[in-house]
Amino acid sequence: MAPIPQQDPVARVAGVPVDTRHWIGGERVASAAAFPDHSPVDGALLAHVARGGEAEAHAAVTAARDAFPGWAATPPGERARVLHRIADGIEARTEELARVETADNGALLRSHRRGVMPRAAQNLRHFADRLLTLNHEDFETRGHSNHVSWDPSGPAVLITPWNAPLMLATWKLGPALAAGCTVVLKPAEWAPLTASLLAGIAHEAGLPAGVFNLVQGYGAEAGTPLVSDPRVRRISFTGSVPTARTIAGHAAAHLVPTSFELGGKSPLLVFADADLDLAAGLAVEQYDNAGQVCLAGTRLLVEESVRDVFLEKFLARARELTLGDPRDEATSMGPNIHPRHLERVDGFVRRALAAGARPLLGGEPHTALAERLGGTYYLPTLLTDVAQDSEIVQEEVFGPVLTLQTFADEEEAVRLANGTRFGLAATLATGDPERAERVAAQLVAGTVWTNCFFVRDLSAPFGGSRESGIGREGGDWSFDFYCDLKTTVTAPAGWS
């Protein structure tokens, strides 16, 4: 894309002023060029955002490196207090953050107000509090004491996706800052605006200059120099498998540890003994955020004997979904993020239909709504008559597209559920506790939900198996990643 000159650095988005420059070393930094940021809600141009590259990436890592010794030496109690003040700032600006993020990524305004922004603040508070209880009991070896400590590793690069920009930024930022690392955040170019607001909030909370830096731009231009910099000591990325492979190659050159939370093609298993009303509700819930949720159980696997009853209940609930403007309280599903992404989603569906799949619901963009609002809307879709080895079953669509398959018994259910290269999550509905325990133990997944969905304590490990990721985040696992663990062994008393 041809460079666009940087214009007025402050854009007004949903009535909120947003500085579109980078945040490096405690200052706003402009770039010679900018990139356009359009709203998926109506296609409107929201802002021209500073388009960073090698120079900005180098400056941000330099600022993070220079600030690291001071932040690492800051007592844990003070680091925790700063994180709590940032959380206070998020809570004080919940309405503004919610409006900007809805305009920027198209997720429901009411969800941002009631769930997403409060969770963003909770992420920071959780790791601030966790830091103060981080401890491992000393242990003894032949009279020698062994003490375990967590030493901050150094500057960290955090790369976040567009489907939950602020929440996932704080999910990474919280433990990194609590651990004593300094950070450079590179947000997704399709939804970068709340990251800029977060930089301002962190500054107002008293976070020292250079501890948190923000570089905006495209992956090849801004992301590559960040993950290639030998001064970076940790890289945390949430996004696609192909991008993770590229990042891993750069990280390997300098042996930089990485944490990857990647794609999913998660199963939702419905057994005949399940509460089918509950199961149908769980299945329809997978359309949340227009299907743009990595954890979504997009493969519905239903026991043959209850297929028709389940399908009737599912379709009745799914047809109650209201697709529309995410700022409207009555809307239950908003747009997809970008015209290119909408084309990608539709391409998956069209190829599946050409291969013999049959649509039971949707199957195409909502053209009338798009013409009226101007945004990128796709009908909630359910496809059946799909083969296990087909593209639509094996590849992540990341849109409001589910598939329906049936199984004859528990063994086949597990085989189908585990039959992809992913392993991020799984959901199962059953009325038999023993079956739930037995099946969950066999599923390849980082998280398994039984008769529920999207419930997780922040202390629990989160991540994926197989190509769904590397490592775990949450609780002490996050500190293990952002720190170098040290064991100090001391001889018995009386040494000389």
Side-chain angles (χ1 to χ4, degrees):
M1 182 181 294
I4 301 170
Q6 178 71 61
Q7 300 175 5
D8 185 347
V10 179
R12 198 155 195 88
V13 179
V16 180
V18 181
D19 198 309
T20 60
R21 294 171 292 181
H22 313 285
W23 180 258
I24 299 173
E27 297 179 348
R28 289 292 178 180
V29 175
S31 289
F35 63 91
D37 180 27
H38 292 267
S39 175
V41 178
D42 54 13
L45 177 66
L46 297 176
H48 286 107
V49 181
R51 181 173 170 177
E54 188 171 344
E56 292 85 352
H58 184 272
V61 176
T62 298
R65 179 204 62 189
D66 292 347
F68 173 67
W71 183 245
T74 300
E78 177 56 26
R79 294 203 301 262
R81 282 190 288 273
V82 173
L83 286 174
H84 274 292
R85 289 198 296 268
I86 299 173
D88 291 341
I90 290 172
E91 290 174 347
R93 300 186 66 182
T94 290
E95 179 62 23
E96 293 181 7
L97 291 164
R99 293 206 309 268
V100 171
E101 190 135 298
T102 290
D104 208 15
N105 86 331
L108 299 183
L109 179 58
R110 70 169 185 268
S111 295
H112 280 143
R113 283 172 172 156
R114 301 168 192 171
V116 178
M117 299 309 156
R119 164 66 191 276
Q122 183 187 8
N123 286 339
L124 297 172
R125 297 196 193 283
H126 171 80
F127 289 108
D129 294 340
R130 193 93 187 183
L131 170 64
L132 302 182
T133 61
L134 194 62
N135 182 57
H136 190 292
E137 279 190 25
D138 290 355
F139 51 97
E140 186 177 298
T141 305
R142 297 191 301 276
H144 294 63
S145 69
N146 294 257
H147 177 72
V148 177
S149 58
W150 286 259
D151 292 351
S153 60
V157 167
L158 315 178
I159 303 176
T160 50
W162 43 258
N163 61 324
L166 186 67
M167 190 277 286
L168 289 174
T170 60
W171 176 241
K172 298 178 185 297
L173 193 70
L177 294 182
C181 295
T182 52
V183 304
V184 181
L185 172 64
K186 194 280 182 193
E189 61 269 24
W190 283 352
L193 299 180
T194 50
S196 181
L197 294 176
L198 178 61
I201 291 171
H203 175 66
E204 293 167 3
L207 192 67
V211 174
F212 171 42
N213 306 276
L214 172 70
V215 176
Q216 302 155 148
Y218 298 118
E221 297 174 357
T224 297
L226 286 173
V227 299
S228 303
D229 196 311
R231 298 171 296 173
V232 170
R233 294 316 309 150
R234 293 294 187 273
I235 299 171
S236 179
F237 168 73
T238 298
S240 71
V241 172
T243 302
R245 288 197 176 102
T246 300
I247 293 172
H250 293 297
H254 306 293
L255 296 179
V256 179
T258 59
S259 175
F260 291 156
E261 193 268 284
L262 308 177
K265 194 67 180 177
S266 300
L268 194 161
L269 296 84
V270 180
F271 288 93
D273 57 16
D275 178 335
L276 296 184
D277 288 311
L278 171 67
L282 292 174
V284 172
E285 196 174 343
Q286 310 310 307
Y287 289 125
D288 183 50
N289 200 17
Q292 299 167 134
V293 177
C294 58
L295 294 161
T298 57
R299 294 184 295 130
L300 307 185
L301 306 177
V302 182
E303 194 162 354
E304 290 173 356
S305 62
V306 294
R307 176 203 184 269
D308 292 345
V309 177
F310 167 82
L311 183 59
E312 180 182 4
K313 293 177 181 293
F314 170 86
L315 291 175
R317 286 176 178 252
R319 287 171 179 144
E320 292 175 353
L321 293 173
T322 301
L323 185 59
D325 189 326
R327 297 166 296 193
D328 188 333
E329 281 282 325
T331 297
S332 48
M333 197 178 102
N336 285 112
I337 183 68
H338 193 277
R340 287 212 308 269
H341 187 65
L342 187 75
E343 290 176 8
R344 180 180 181 275
V345 170
D346 191 45
F348 273 109
V349 173
R350 285 187 286 105
R351 290 190 296 275
L353 295 177
R358 183 164 56 93
L360 298 174
L361 183 73
E364 60 186 0
H366 196 316
T367 53
L369 185 59
E371 289 171 0
R372 178 164 61 84
L373 293 178
T376 47
Y377 297 88
Y378 204 88
L379 290 167
T381 294
L382 177 66
L383 304 178
T384 192
D385 297 345
V386 292
Q388 178 66 15
D389 61 355
S390 64
E391 178 193 56
I392 197 67
V393 169
Q394 292 295 320
E395 299 298 325
E396 183 179 42
V397 177
F398 216 62
V401 179
L402 310 182
T403 58
L404 175 66
Q405 298 169 270
T406 60
F407 59 85
D409 53 31
E410 194 174 296
E411 181 181 358
E412 186 181 17
V414 171
R415 179 177 60 78
L416 293 174
N418 290 339
T420 74
R421 59 193 172 95
F422 297 105
L424 186 56
T427 303
L428 63 99
T430 176
D432 183 342
E434 292 182 358
R435 166 176 279 160
E437 184 176 352
R438 187 169 59 245
V439 171
Q442 298 176 74
L443 295 175
V444 179
T447 301
V448 178
W449 285 287
T450 301
N451 296 328
C452 60
F453 178 65
F454 226 49
V455 178
R456 186 176 63 84
D457 192 285
L458 300 187
S459 299
F462 176 73
S465 304
R466 294 177 176 167
E467 292 192 17
S468 285
I470 296 174
R472 292 293 184 268
E473 299 175 318
D476 292 352
W477 288 272
S478 287
F479 287 98
D480 289 349
F481 173 69
Y482 288 108
C483 293
D484 293 319
L485 271 73
K486 178 189 291 180
T487 301
T488 302
V489 184
T490 304
W495 49 309
S496 59

